[in-house]
Amino acid sequence: MLELMQWSLAAQAFVQYQDPEPLLGLLRDPGQERLRHELRQFARQINLNLFNDFRNRAQKLSHQLRGLSQREETMPAPFRLVEPFLVDFCETFAGAQSDWEALLRLARRHLKYRRPALAVLAAYEAVVHRLCEIYGVRPAAKNSQGKRYSSELIQALKTRGSIISRALPELKELIKAVNELQEIRNNTAHFRTDSEGPDPGYRLTRIKTLLTILEEKLGHPTLEQLPHLYSLKGP
């Protein structure tokens, strides 16, 4: 019973807080090193906001975990009880239809466990990935001036928001939400504890509202018309 409790608590620590250490401490066999590596890297990616290739890593880990206890004789017996729990957690992101949708799911999960700063960062990156998807560029790609295309696109929504909203009124609410989200994100990055520091805007109800708008509007087909209104600067 004690061993079962240890495995249950270790799986809970990984799923709720992305703390892999309790699980890693239980996976001691040398044959489990690859799984240890994937668990550690996936948790690190979430905790350090490393969003590139996030969905793909979730898919790889989900595939590796699924049925592992039946394939590997070296797996401890209690692992069979926590395996579905771990797979379900990975599938939350692996089952998304796109990278930006996976990031929205991550943001929603951060809010569930009252991590508003991480939720804001994940939601902002979801917007970045969606815009880059529309324009066919990688989120980290840069133009000839060394500026990221993603930054240019976010800035375009802010400076040309009124023009875009008039041409594509379906996007008005989304553009307003993105601009507010960016402000909260920037305040998060520059937050200080003294009285002069900006208020990061950690009002959970407002962040939940912004996230709901993104979930409803970020996949709107009207967004596909953005390149006709605003063209990226040459590579």
Side-chain angles (χ1 to χ4, degrees), residues 3 9 18 20 41 60 99 106 130-131 141 146 161 173 175:
E3 188 177 4
L9 292 174
Q18 288 73 64
Q41 289 300 107
K60 287 174 58 179
D99 291 339
L106 178 59
R130 173 59 171 149
L131 292 176
E173 185 179 18
I175 292 173

Side-chain angles (χ1 to χ4, degrees), residues 124 127 131 153-183 206 210 213-214 217-218 220 222-223 226 229-230:
Y124 179 85
V127 175
L131 292 176
L153 291 171
I154 291 290
Q155 187 64 19
L157 287 185
K158 183 175 183 178
T159 59
R160 299 169 181 252
S162 58
I163 298 175
I164 296 174
S165 295
R166 285 196 296 270
L168 304 172
E170 299 91 341
L171 302 183
K172 184 176 181 179
E173 185 179 18
L174 174 62
I175 292 173
K176 183 178 179 180
V178 170
N179 289 337
E180 185 174 350
L181 183 70
Q182 184 189 30
E183 182 178 355
R206 187 55 190 160
L210 293 176
I213 294 173
L214 295 185
K217 302 292 186 180
L218 207 52
H220 200 290
T222 304
L223 268 172
L226 272 181
L229 293 176
Y230 178 80

Side-chain angles (χ1 to χ4, degrees), residues 86-100:
L86 297 173
V87 170
D88 182 66
F89 170 65
C90 295
E91 278 297 314
T92 299
F93 316 112
Q97 298 300 308
S98 62
D99 291 339
W100 58 268

Side-chain angles (χ1 to χ4, degrees), residues 2-57:
L2 179 60
E3 188 177 4
L4 288 175
M5 183 178 296
Q6 288 177 328
W7 278 92
S8 177
L9 292 174
Q12 186 177 28
F14 183 79
V15 169
Q16 291 190 5
Y17 307 108
Q18 288 73 64
D19 178 7
E21 294 307 318
L23 267 179
L24 300 182
L26 295 171
L27 295 167
R28 304 184 184 94
D29 192 281
Q32 298 155 6
E33 185 55 38
R34 182 186 172 196
L35 176 60
R36 287 167 54 88
H37 174 76
E38 290 296 330
L39 288 169
R40 184 184 291 111
Q41 289 300 107
F42 189 60
R44 177 176 177 269
Q45 191 163 10
I46 294 177
N47 290 327
L48 296 182
N49 304 316
L50 304 175
F51 299 120
N52 289 337
D53 211 30
F54 172 67
R55 181 172 60 123
N56 182 54
R57 183 172 288 279

Side-chain angles (χ1 to χ4, degrees), residues 143-156:
N143 59 24
S144 56
Q145 288 77 41
K147 182 178 181 180
R148 289 192 175 188
Y149 288 119
S150 56
S151 299
E152 180 184 342
L153 291 171
I154 291 290
Q155 187 64 19

Side-chain angles (χ1 to χ4, degrees), residues 66-160:
R66 194 180 295 277
L68 184 63
S69 58
Q70 281 72 39
R71 300 194 307 269
E72 300 288 344
E73 295 181 359
T74 59
M75 296 305 298
F79 184 79
R80 295 187 179 186
L81 298 178
V82 302
E83 179 186 57
F85 192 47
L86 297 173
V87 170
D88 182 66
F89 170 65
C90 295
E91 278 297 314
T92 299
F93 316 112
Q97 298 300 308
S98 62
D99 291 339
W100 58 268
E101 183 182 344
L103 291 172
L104 284 181
R105 293 183 181 185
L106 178 59
R108 180 61 69 178
R109 192 169 189 87
H110 281 317
L111 273 186
K112 178 181 178 180
Y113 293 106
R114 304 184 72 82
R115 298 189 290 261
L118 293 178
V120 167
L121 294 174
Y124 179 85
E125 284 299 319
V127 175
V128 167
H129 278 69
R130 173 59 171 149
L131 292 176
C132 289
E133 176 186 78
I134 292 171
Y135 279 82
V137 296
R138 293 179 294 105
K142 299 179 181 180
N143 59 24
S144 56
Q145 288 77 41
K147 182 178 181 180
R148 289 192 175 188
Y149 288 119
S150 56
S151 299
E152 180 184 342
L153 291 171
I154 291 290
Q155 187 64 19
L157 287 185
K158 183 175 183 178
T159 59
R160 299 169 181 252

Side-chain angles (χ1 to χ4, degrees), residues 183-184 186-188 190-192 195-203:
E183 182 178 355
I184 296 175
N186 291 343
N187 287 346
T188 300
H190 300 290
F191 178 70
R192 300 201 309 271
S195 59
E196 297 179 1
D199 176 8
Y202 288 164
R203 288 172 284 277

